mmCIF file of all heavy atoms in Angstrom:
data_model
loop_
_atom_site.group_PDB
_atom_site.id
_atom_site.type_symbol
_atom_site.label_atom_id
_atom_site.label_comp_id
_atom_site.label_asym_id
_atom_site.label_seq_id
_atom_site.Cartn_x
_atom_site.Cartn_y
_atom_site.Cartn_z
ATOM 1 N N VAL A 56 106.738 93.785 124.435
ATOM 2 C CA VAL A 56 107.273 92.646 125.169
ATOM 3 C C VAL A 56 108.563 92.956 125.791
ATOM 4 O O VAL A 56 109.336 93.925 125.268
ATOM 5 C CB VAL A 56 107.441 91.400 124.236
ATOM 6 C CG1 VAL A 56 106.092 90.903 123.626
ATOM 7 C CG2 VAL A 56 108.464 91.749 123.102
ATOM 8 N N MET A 57 108.937 92.192 126.728
ATOM 9 C CA MET A 57 110.167 92.417 127.315
ATOM 10 C C MET A 57 111.205 91.369 126.861
ATOM 11 O O MET A 57 110.688 90.191 126.704
ATOM 12 C CB MET A 57 110.102 92.225 128.917
ATOM 13 C CG MET A 57 111.397 92.536 129.725
ATOM 14 S SD MET A 57 111.099 92.589 131.360
ATOM 15 C CE MET A 57 112.694 93.182 131.930
ATOM 16 N N GLY A 58 112.420 91.682 126.617
ATOM 17 C CA GLY A 58 113.325 90.668 126.164
ATOM 18 C C GLY A 58 114.633 91.402 126.016
ATOM 19 O O GLY A 58 114.989 92.485 126.442
ATOM 20 N N ILE A 59 115.675 90.757 125.161
ATOM 21 C CA ILE A 59 116.886 91.378 124.954
ATOM 22 C C ILE A 59 117.152 91.507 123.448
ATOM 23 O O ILE A 59 116.560 90.720 122.598
ATOM 24 C CB ILE A 59 118.079 90.494 125.518
ATOM 25 C CG1 ILE A 59 118.022 89.167 125.130
ATOM 26 C CG2 ILE A 59 117.983 90.659 127.094
ATOM 27 C CD1 ILE A 59 119.246 88.273 125.544
ATOM 28 N N CYS A 60 117.941 92.476 123.002
ATOM 29 C CA CYS A 60 118.237 92.716 121.599
ATOM 30 C C CYS A 60 119.725 92.994 121.434
ATOM 31 O O CYS A 60 120.415 93.410 122.324
ATOM 32 C CB CYS A 60 117.353 93.700 121.028
ATOM 33 S SG CYS A 60 117.805 95.466 121.461
ATOM 34 N N SER A 61 120.219 93.020 120.219
ATOM 35 C CA SER A 61 121.527 93.400 119.861
ATOM 36 C C SER A 61 121.932 94.728 120.337
ATOM 37 O O SER A 61 121.110 95.705 120.413
ATOM 38 C CB SER A 61 121.658 93.381 118.306
ATOM 39 O OG SER A 61 122.848 94.029 117.986
ATOM 40 N N PRO A 62 123.240 94.864 120.810
ATOM 41 C CA PRO A 62 123.712 96.140 121.266
ATOM 42 C C PRO A 62 123.722 97.278 120.139
ATOM 43 O O PRO A 62 123.901 98.341 120.280
ATOM 44 C CB PRO A 62 124.985 95.786 121.778
ATOM 45 C CG PRO A 62 125.574 94.607 121.262
ATOM 46 C CD PRO A 62 124.184 93.793 120.895
ATOM 47 N N ALA A 63 123.531 96.785 118.815
ATOM 48 C CA ALA A 63 123.493 97.734 117.803
ATOM 49 C C ALA A 63 122.313 98.732 117.888
ATOM 50 O O ALA A 63 122.170 99.805 117.188
ATOM 51 C CB ALA A 63 123.449 97.023 116.511
ATOM 52 N N TYR A 64 121.275 98.356 118.686
ATOM 53 C CA TYR A 64 120.078 99.149 118.777
ATOM 54 C C TYR A 64 120.277 100.113 119.924
ATOM 55 O O TYR A 64 120.802 99.878 120.898
ATOM 56 C CB TYR A 64 118.799 98.331 118.968
ATOM 57 C CG TYR A 64 118.593 97.452 117.754
ATOM 58 C CD1 TYR A 64 118.854 96.161 117.786
ATOM 59 C CD2 TYR A 64 117.945 97.894 116.632
ATOM 60 C CE1 TYR A 64 118.631 95.228 116.798
ATOM 61 C CE2 TYR A 64 117.669 97.138 115.493
ATOM 62 C CZ TYR A 64 117.944 95.834 115.639
ATOM 63 O OH TYR A 64 117.750 95.010 114.552
ATOM 64 N N THR A 65 119.568 101.362 119.745
ATOM 65 C CA THR A 65 119.505 102.301 120.812
ATOM 66 C C THR A 65 118.135 102.243 121.416
ATOM 67 O O THR A 65 117.042 102.273 120.658
ATOM 68 C CB THR A 65 119.750 103.716 120.332
ATOM 69 O OG1 THR A 65 121.020 103.861 119.737
ATOM 70 C CG2 THR A 65 119.720 104.756 121.388
ATOM 71 N N ILE A 66 117.967 102.074 122.662
ATOM 72 C CA ILE A 66 116.761 101.892 123.396
ATOM 73 C C ILE A 66 116.354 103.365 124.016
ATOM 74 O O ILE A 66 117.203 103.817 124.695
ATOM 75 C CB ILE A 66 116.852 100.880 124.574
ATOM 76 C CG1 ILE A 66 117.566 99.617 124.061
ATOM 77 C CG2 ILE A 66 115.397 100.659 125.083
ATOM 78 C CD1 ILE A 66 116.976 98.906 122.939
ATOM 79 N N LEU A 67 115.155 103.746 123.916
ATOM 80 C CA LEU A 67 114.649 104.974 124.345
ATOM 81 C C LEU A 67 113.695 104.660 125.504
ATOM 82 O O LEU A 67 112.619 103.932 125.238
ATOM 83 C CB LEU A 67 113.996 105.829 123.247
ATOM 84 C CG LEU A 67 114.811 106.202 122.032
ATOM 85 C CD1 LEU A 67 114.056 106.775 120.934
ATOM 86 C CD2 LEU A 67 115.975 106.981 122.476
ATOM 87 N N LYS A 68 113.960 105.232 126.583
ATOM 88 C CA LYS A 68 113.017 105.057 127.724
ATOM 89 C C LYS A 68 112.548 106.418 128.199
ATOM 90 O O LYS A 68 113.206 107.346 128.341
ATOM 91 C CB LYS A 68 113.740 104.355 128.962
ATOM 92 C CG LYS A 68 114.226 102.993 128.566
ATOM 93 C CD LYS A 68 114.971 102.354 129.734
ATOM 94 C CE LYS A 68 115.451 101.041 129.453
ATOM 95 N NZ LYS A 68 114.546 99.998 129.280
ATOM 96 N N SER A 69 111.257 106.512 128.286
ATOM 97 C CA SER A 69 110.684 107.877 128.617
ATOM 98 C C SER A 69 111.012 108.207 129.985
ATOM 99 O O SER A 69 110.994 107.516 131.006
ATOM 100 C CB SER A 69 109.066 107.744 128.593
ATOM 101 O OG SER A 69 108.527 108.953 128.951
ATOM 102 N N GLN A 70 111.376 109.537 130.218
ATOM 103 C CA GLN A 70 111.758 110.113 131.444
ATOM 104 C C GLN A 70 110.558 110.748 132.128
ATOM 105 O O GLN A 70 110.586 111.138 133.338
ATOM 106 C CB GLN A 70 112.827 111.032 131.447
ATOM 107 C CG GLN A 70 114.102 110.479 130.775
ATOM 108 C CD GLN A 70 114.691 109.335 131.560
ATOM 109 O OE1 GLN A 70 114.915 109.679 132.839
ATOM 110 N NE2 GLN A 70 114.781 108.250 131.212
ATOM 111 N N VAL A 71 109.527 110.973 131.315
ATOM 112 C CA VAL A 71 108.178 111.603 131.867
ATOM 113 C C VAL A 71 107.176 110.666 131.515
ATOM 114 O O VAL A 71 107.220 109.822 130.620
ATOM 115 C CB VAL A 71 108.061 112.961 131.249
ATOM 116 C CG1 VAL A 71 109.116 113.891 131.685
ATOM 117 C CG2 VAL A 71 107.954 113.020 129.787
ATOM 118 N N GLU A 72 105.911 110.904 132.122
ATOM 119 C CA GLU A 72 104.764 110.009 131.844
ATOM 120 C C GLU A 72 104.199 110.419 130.411
ATOM 121 O O GLU A 72 104.063 111.585 130.088
ATOM 122 C CB GLU A 72 103.761 110.208 132.782
ATOM 123 C CG GLU A 72 102.554 109.324 132.584
ATOM 124 C CD GLU A 72 101.396 109.441 133.750
ATOM 125 O OE1 GLU A 72 101.583 110.205 134.658
ATOM 126 O OE2 GLU A 72 100.474 108.702 133.492
ATOM 127 N N ILE A 73 104.193 109.412 129.507
ATOM 128 C CA ILE A 73 103.637 109.565 128.159
ATOM 129 C C ILE A 73 102.582 108.544 127.862
ATOM 130 O O ILE A 73 102.446 107.491 128.538
ATOM 131 C CB ILE A 73 104.739 109.570 127.039
ATOM 132 C CG1 ILE A 73 105.295 108.229 127.059
ATOM 133 C CG2 ILE A 73 105.684 110.568 127.243
ATOM 134 C CD1 ILE A 73 106.239 107.923 125.850
ATOM 135 N N CYS A 74 101.829 108.824 126.828
ATOM 136 C CA CYS A 74 100.795 107.814 126.341
ATOM 137 C C CYS A 74 101.601 107.112 125.184
ATOM 138 O O CYS A 74 101.797 107.594 124.147
ATOM 139 C CB CYS A 74 99.589 108.451 125.815
ATOM 140 S SG CYS A 74 98.477 107.256 124.988
ATOM 141 N N ASP A 75 102.010 105.794 125.502
ATOM 142 C CA ASP A 75 102.950 105.038 124.591
ATOM 143 C C ASP A 75 102.244 105.041 123.225
ATOM 144 O O ASP A 75 102.856 105.224 122.124
ATOM 145 C CB ASP A 75 102.943 103.646 125.127
ATOM 146 C CG ASP A 75 103.933 103.572 126.349
ATOM 147 O OD1 ASP A 75 104.514 104.672 126.621
ATOM 148 O OD2 ASP A 75 103.988 102.511 126.861
ATOM 149 N N ASP A 76 100.910 104.712 123.192
ATOM 150 C CA ASP A 76 100.209 104.588 121.874
ATOM 151 C C ASP A 76 100.281 105.880 120.991
ATOM 152 O O ASP A 76 100.347 105.799 119.781
ATOM 153 C CB ASP A 76 98.717 104.131 122.050
ATOM 154 C CG ASP A 76 98.621 102.650 122.296
ATOM 155 O OD1 ASP A 76 99.755 101.951 121.908
ATOM 156 O OD2 ASP A 76 97.606 102.195 122.563
ATOM 157 N N PHE A 77 100.236 107.051 121.693
ATOM 158 C CA PHE A 77 100.329 108.300 120.945
ATOM 159 C C PHE A 77 101.709 108.365 120.254
ATOM 160 O O PHE A 77 101.730 108.588 118.985
ATOM 161 C CB PHE A 77 100.248 109.548 121.846
ATOM 162 C CG PHE A 77 100.509 110.726 121.202
ATOM 163 C CD1 PHE A 77 99.521 111.474 120.381
ATOM 164 C CD2 PHE A 77 101.785 111.436 121.438
ATOM 165 C CE1 PHE A 77 99.870 112.707 119.751
ATOM 166 C CE2 PHE A 77 102.037 112.678 120.597
ATOM 167 C CZ PHE A 77 101.084 113.192 119.889
ATOM 168 N N TYR A 78 102.795 108.070 120.901
ATOM 169 C CA TYR A 78 104.085 108.038 120.333
ATOM 170 C C TYR A 78 104.332 106.935 119.490
ATOM 171 O O TYR A 78 105.159 107.091 118.425
ATOM 172 C CB TYR A 78 105.272 108.328 121.380
ATOM 173 C CG TYR A 78 105.189 109.709 121.890
ATOM 174 C CD1 TYR A 78 104.501 110.026 123.044
ATOM 175 C CD2 TYR A 78 105.739 110.730 121.123
ATOM 176 C CE1 TYR A 78 104.620 111.377 123.619
ATOM 177 C CE2 TYR A 78 105.666 112.136 121.596
ATOM 178 C CZ TYR A 78 105.153 112.298 122.728
ATOM 179 O OH TYR A 78 105.071 113.702 123.163
ATOM 180 N N ARG A 79 103.714 105.771 119.661
ATOM 181 C CA ARG A 79 103.902 104.730 118.742
ATOM 182 C C ARG A 79 103.354 105.163 117.344
ATOM 183 O O ARG A 79 103.889 104.830 116.271
ATOM 184 C CB ARG A 79 102.967 103.502 119.303
ATOM 185 C CG ARG A 79 103.195 102.213 118.395
ATOM 186 C CD ARG A 79 102.422 101.167 119.073
ATOM 187 N NE ARG A 79 101.034 101.333 119.287
ATOM 188 C CZ ARG A 79 100.035 101.181 118.393
ATOM 189 N NH1 ARG A 79 100.514 100.716 117.144
ATOM 190 N NH2 ARG A 79 98.879 101.314 118.660
ATOM 191 N N HIS A 80 102.231 105.903 117.228
ATOM 192 C CA HIS A 80 101.736 106.467 116.078
ATOM 193 C C HIS A 80 102.524 107.556 115.417
ATOM 194 O O HIS A 80 102.854 107.716 114.240
ATOM 195 C CB HIS A 80 100.261 106.813 116.175
ATOM 196 C CG HIS A 80 99.276 105.766 116.334
ATOM 197 N ND1 HIS A 80 98.916 104.954 115.257
ATOM 198 C CD2 HIS A 80 98.648 105.349 117.433
ATOM 199 C CE1 HIS A 80 97.982 104.123 115.763
ATOM 200 N NE2 HIS A 80 97.870 104.366 117.009
#
Side-chain angles (χ1 to χ4, degrees):
V56 294
M57 185 171 186
I59 57 175
C60 75
S61 165
Y64 295 101
T65 301
I66 313 303
L67 303 174
K68 297 176 181 291
S69 176
Q70 299 298 305
V71 296
E72 187 177 2
I73 62 168
C74 174
D75 293 350
D76 277 345
F77 172 79
Y78 284 99
R79 186 175 57 81
H80 289 288

